[in-house]
Every structure is written in structure tokens, then in C-alpha cells.
Amino acid sequence: MKSLVIIFRHAPFGATSTREGLDFAMLSASFEQQVSLVFTNEAVLHLLAGQTPEQAGSKDYVSAFKALSLYDIDTVLVCAVSMTTLGLQPDDLSIPATVVTPEVITQTLQAADEVLVF
């Protein structure tokens, strides 16, 4: 089984890259790839509860994050530095995620067979 890490770095609702990355993650997981997700920088904002993407003129792909466990995507890492910079707490996140240091993220990337950035 190939391990794949997908890094999300961009803010919600400004582009379609996160939706494309999420679709790719689910597709890869459905083909029995071991998929892990990493959220850094403003991409952490995708995981906040209570978002309404329709009001920003975007499709509601945010609710798809809640379906990750159906695809056996259980490793969701969030950068602790990004959380602090944005003034967020782990309780602010809408899905189960592990808040980790940049060093842990680096170790995860080094252990992966492939890394993609969205």
C-alpha cells in the first residue's frame, strides 16, 4: 500500500484547490491508498465549525470533511503554529484532528511515498 500525504495551505473560498485536493484524497483512499491530510497556514480555516460556503458563492465541500472516516482517512494533522497564529483552539475544529508541531509534520512528509500540495 502506498502512503500519500496531501498538504492544504490555502484559505477557504478563494480558489478551488482545496476542493480538488479533498476529491483527490477521497479518490485515492477509495483505491486503497493510505492517505493522510495536513493543514497549515490559512488552510486551517477550512476546518472551522459553522461555515456557510454558499454565502461566499462556493459549493459546500466543507461538509465532505466529515465523511473522511468513511474513506478510512483517519490521519488529519493541523499545524500548531498556524493554529496559534490564527488564534484558534483545537475545540474550534469541526472534525477530529491532531494538532502537531512543524517537526511532526516534517517527519510525516519524510515517511510518505508521495506528497501533494493543494
Side-chain angles (χ1 to χ4, degrees):
M1 180 183 303
K2 193 179 229 182
S3 65
L4 173 66
V5 176
I6 300 176
I7 303 173
F8 296 96
R9 297 181 27 185
H10 301 286
F13 316 129
T16 61
S17 62
T18 299
R19 185 175 66 225
E20 292 165 359
L22 183 59
D23 288 344
F24 184 79
M26 290 184 193
L27 179 65
S28 297
S30 69
F31 284 101
E32 299 187 19
Q33 303 291 319
Q34 180 183 350
V35 178
S36 301
L37 306 180
V38 175
F39 291 84
T40 66
N41 304 328
E42 293 177 339
V44 173
L45 299 172
H46 287 282
L47 303 179
L48 294 180
Q51 295 189 54
T52 53
E54 300 85 10
Q55 290 181 343
S58 180
K59 290 183 180 181
D60 183 15
Y61 66 92
V62 176
S63 61
F65 286 118
K66 294 178 182 171
L68 293 175
S69 63
L70 297 174
Y71 290 86
D72 293 326
I73 301 174
D74 299 320
T75 303
V76 179
L77 305 178
V78 179
C79 178
V81 173
S82 299
M83 293 279 290
T84 301
T85 300
L86 295 168
L88 300 175
Q89 300 296 320
D91 292 343
D92 297 330
L93 304 178
S94 63
I95 64 169
T98 305
V99 179
V100 296
T101 64
E103 292 78 21
V104 172
I105 292 173
T106 300
Q107 292 169 358
T108 302
L109 299 178
Q110 290 173 342
D113 293 319
E114 287 189 51
V115 176
L116 293 127
V117 180
F118 286 90

